[in-house]
Amino acid sequence: MFPDMGATTTEPATIVAPSNRSSESQPPVVLVGRLVSLRFVLGTLRRRRKIWLSCAALGLVVGLGYHLVVPRSYNAYATLYLAQAPGTDPATGIANDMALLQTTAVGQRAAELLGERSLNPSTLLGKAPGVVESDNVLTLNVAGPTQAEAERRASALAKAFLGFRSERIQQQTASANKALENEISSLQQQIGQLSATITGLHSSSQGQELTTLVGEQSSDTSELTILEQSVQQNQLASIGVTSGSRVVTPGTLVPASSAKLFGLDGIAGLIGGLVIGVAYVAVQAVVSDRLRRRDEVASLLGAPVELSLMPVRHPRRHPESWIRQSAFEPQEEVSALAGYLRQRGVRQGGRTTLLMVAADDLTVPAAALAVLAKRLAEEGESVLVADLTNESLLARGIEDLLIDGPSLADRPGGSLHVFMPSPDDMSEVAEPPWSATTDGGNAVLVLTTVDPAKGAWHLSWAKQAVVSVTAGRSSAQRVNSTAVLLRAAGITIRSGVLIGADAQDESIGLLQPASPLVGLPVADGVIPA
């Protein structure tokens, strides 16, 4: 513990575990499963509500601005009365008419009437070009880029359909009449032959044969009359169906409110964005291995999570300025972390040292160490701050602090110095920071990270370490690798700190030796198969 020179530290909104058997360092474990429940998913949705709310807002904007990019289409309709041939089933007839309407030939004829031969018939007809209102009434629906064009297309489609239907009916009638006329011609020839035969018979001995021929002639004449009547009936029916089918309502614009259209598009975009955002967050919550719970972090570190902090807001750009500002006016959470770290100093080589290992985010740990360094220097301590990270956020923040407040480096009884090796020598500095620089101190604060590719051998001079983990930033494998490499270098993990803890996390970060957590113990840096 660093000497307490009368400075007061407050630790609001924190959870600190007392030192006892349950909080002693243990070998880390690898989590092999996580309980995924509805409450877990709902908690994730609440915690990450900014994401799905942003998706919903984006969907709303896209929906409202959809027609600013994609031209709006207008709808028009035309109503037709379709006469059916006598003796046909009306339902079958209107079904045939509907099938006829959807043919490409009708669309091509309508495009020719519009004078737009390049217009695609499928585009003109759309997905549902007609709606059956009754056995004799059909409504045509057409879309167009403008109101006038939509009405013109509806009228052209109605005219094209009636003309095409009339031609088909006439062709059907002509085919039927042609077959009837062939039979009529054959009967007329047969009647003529019978008449000639009857005329040549004068003998009474042939009376029986004459009677038979006269009967055949009469039968053929009756059949001829029926066929001629059928031809006339077909022609009359064709004329009746053709002339009886007409346009009841020419192309008429479908009333549509622009405000209502934009409103519906906005609501559709809002719902779509909301669904996408919620699904994204929910799926990510289920499949992600990012750590958020205290018990998970403690289980992987093999050390108790004695302090949990609520999320700390800080800028992502130029965080060193925020670190410097935090040294003068720290946030509650940063001040609480600084007070906690003050109690975790270890006596080593005639001085008190603190090794802070950041598993992920460096900004908050760096700010807390800057606050602690400033407090100790103001209390008259000789402080050495060693920044062993590639980002050097702590060193840059402390340098700004020294520039703005030079009295900290030359205060009676107190001093503040910074040690920052070059990036090339970062992993090769195997000696303590107070030995690698002439600026020694009786209070040494070290911030570092552990690279899985290089290990933590350059930190083997340290006895204990405090590891910080930011909720939702590190994977289970990352935290476990950090713990294994620190222990391989002979460093004991004194405790863990969870930054950005979820307010709904009801787990505890104390290890229970009698009741081991779910996982596989790691002994001597080896994970059992």
Side-chain angles (χ1 to χ4, degrees), residues 259-284:
K260 182 178 180 181
L261 178 63
F262 278 95
L264 292 175
D265 290 341
I267 292 175
L270 175 67
I271 295 175
L274 183 63
V275 171
I276 292 175
V278 170
Y280 171 77
V281 173
V283 171
Q284 192 177 51

Side-chain angles (χ1 to χ4, degrees), residues 6 31 82 107 178 189 270 277 388 400 437 456:
L31 294 181
L82 302 177
K178 184 177 181 181
Q189 293 179 1
L270 175 67
L388 305 183
D400 292 341
T437 177

Side-chain angles (χ1 to χ4, degrees), residues 330-402:
Q331 299 181 21
E332 287 185 340
E333 305 298 323
V334 176
S335 179
L337 179 56
Y340 171 79
L341 294 177
R342 181 170 187 152
Q343 304 174 24
R344 294 297 173 263
V346 178
R347 293 297 298 177
Q348 184 175 354
R351 54 183 52 82
T352 303
T353 64
L354 172 66
L355 175 61
M356 183 74 176
V357 179
D360 36 59
D361 182 51
L362 289 168
T363 307
V364 176
L369 289 177
V371 172
L372 179 56
K374 179 176 179 295
R375 288 176 180 175
L376 293 175
E378 289 178 341
E379 294 167 8
E381 294 292 330
S382 176
V383 183
L384 173 62
V385 176
D387 191 342
L388 305 183
T389 64
N390 294 326
E391 293 79 1
S392 304
L393 294 181
L394 177 57
R396 285 183 286 164
I398 294 293
E399 288 177 351
D400 292 341
L401 186 64
L402 295 176

Side-chain angles (χ1 to χ4, degrees), residues 54-176:
S54 299
C55 291
L58 179 61
L60 176 63
V61 173
V62 172
L64 292 176
Y66 176 74
H67 287 297
L68 298 179
V69 179
V70 179
R72 174 187 172 182
S73 62
Y74 296 85
N75 295 324
Y77 69 94
T79 305
L80 305 179
Y81 178 83
L82 302 177
Q84 304 295 338
T88 60
D89 182 11
T92 303
I94 197 68
N96 293 334
D97 292 334
M98 187 66 185
L100 201 64
L101 172 63
Q102 297 175 347
T103 59
T104 305
V106 174
Q108 291 176 344
R109 176 168 294 200
E112 292 176 357
L113 292 176
L114 291 169
E116 302 177 11
R117 295 181 179 274
S118 60
L119 181 62
N120 191 338
S122 300
T123 303
L124 177 62
L125 295 175
K127 295 182 179 180
V131 176
V132 176
E133 304 293 347
S134 68
D135 291 341
N136 297 96
V137 179
L138 183 65
T139 299
L140 309 183
N141 298 313
V142 183
T146 63
Q147 297 180 359
E149 181 64 17
E151 294 177 347
R152 195 168 75 94
R153 289 184 178 184
S155 298
L157 181 60
K159 183 177 180 181
F161 173 68
L162 288 179
F164 187 77
R165 180 175 182 264
S166 176
E167 290 180 0
R168 301 287 79 74
I169 293 175
Q170 290 176 359
Q171 289 179 357
Q172 182 179 359
T173 302
S175 298

Side-chain angles (χ1 to χ4, degrees), residues 112-347:
E112 292 176 357
L113 292 176
L114 291 169
E116 302 177 11
R117 295 181 179 274
S118 60
L119 181 62
N120 191 338
S122 300
T123 303
L124 177 62
L125 295 175
K127 295 182 179 180
V131 176
V132 176
E133 304 293 347
S134 68
D135 291 341
N136 297 96
V137 179
L138 183 65
T139 299
L140 309 183
N141 298 313
V142 183
T146 63
Q147 297 180 359
E149 181 64 17
E151 294 177 347
R152 195 168 75 94
R153 289 184 178 184
S155 298
L157 181 60
K159 183 177 180 181
F161 173 68
L162 288 179
F164 187 77
R165 180 175 182 264
S166 176
E167 290 180 0
R168 301 287 79 74
I169 293 175
Q170 290 176 359
Q171 289 179 357
Q172 182 179 359
T173 302
S175 298
N177 288 345
K178 184 177 181 181
L180 292 175
E181 288 174 355
N182 290 335
E183 293 186 16
I184 290 174
S185 176
S186 176
L187 286 175
Q188 288 176 343
Q189 293 179 1
Q190 186 173 345
I191 292 174
Q193 293 176 356
L194 290 174
S195 298
T197 304
I198 292 172
T199 303
L201 294 177
H202 296 288
S203 173
S204 58
S205 60
Q206 296 177 340
Q208 184 65 32
E209 183 181 357
L210 180 61
T211 302
T212 302
L213 292 174
V214 170
E216 291 179 359
Q217 183 184 30
S218 176
S219 175
D220 290 344
T221 302
S222 299
E223 185 176 356
L224 177 62
T225 303
I226 294 174
L227 292 177
E228 290 176 345
Q229 290 177 352
S230 297
V231 172
Q232 294 177 356
Q233 290 176 355
N234 289 342
Q235 292 176 345
L236 292 175
S238 175
I239 295 173
V241 171
T242 303
S243 60
S245 300
R246 60 188 180 277
V247 178
V248 177
T249 304
T252 304
L253 188 69
V254 177
S257 172
S258 299
K260 182 178 180 181
L261 178 63
F262 278 95
L264 292 175
D265 290 341
I267 292 175
L270 175 67
I271 295 175
L274 183 63
V275 171
I276 292 175
V278 170
Y280 171 77
V281 173
V283 171
Q284 192 177 51
V286 174
V287 303
S288 175
D289 65 342
R290 303 293 174 175
L291 301 178
R292 295 186 180 276
R293 294 167 55 90
R294 283 182 284 271
D295 58 354
E296 293 177 341
V297 176
S299 182
L300 288 165
L301 289 178
V305 176
E306 297 180 337
L307 179 68
S308 297
L309 302 175
M310 298 300 291
V312 179
R313 294 181 177 274
H314 58 80
R316 297 185 179 275
R317 299 185 62 182
H318 305 295
E320 61 274 5
S321 300
W322 179 80
I323 294 173
R324 172 197 164 279
Q325 181 182 359
S326 296
F328 290 98
E329 299 177 357
Q331 299 181 21
E332 287 185 340
E333 305 298 323
V334 176
S335 179
L337 179 56
Y340 171 79
L341 294 177
R342 181 170 187 152
Q343 304 174 24
R344 294 297 173 263
V346 178
R347 293 297 298 177

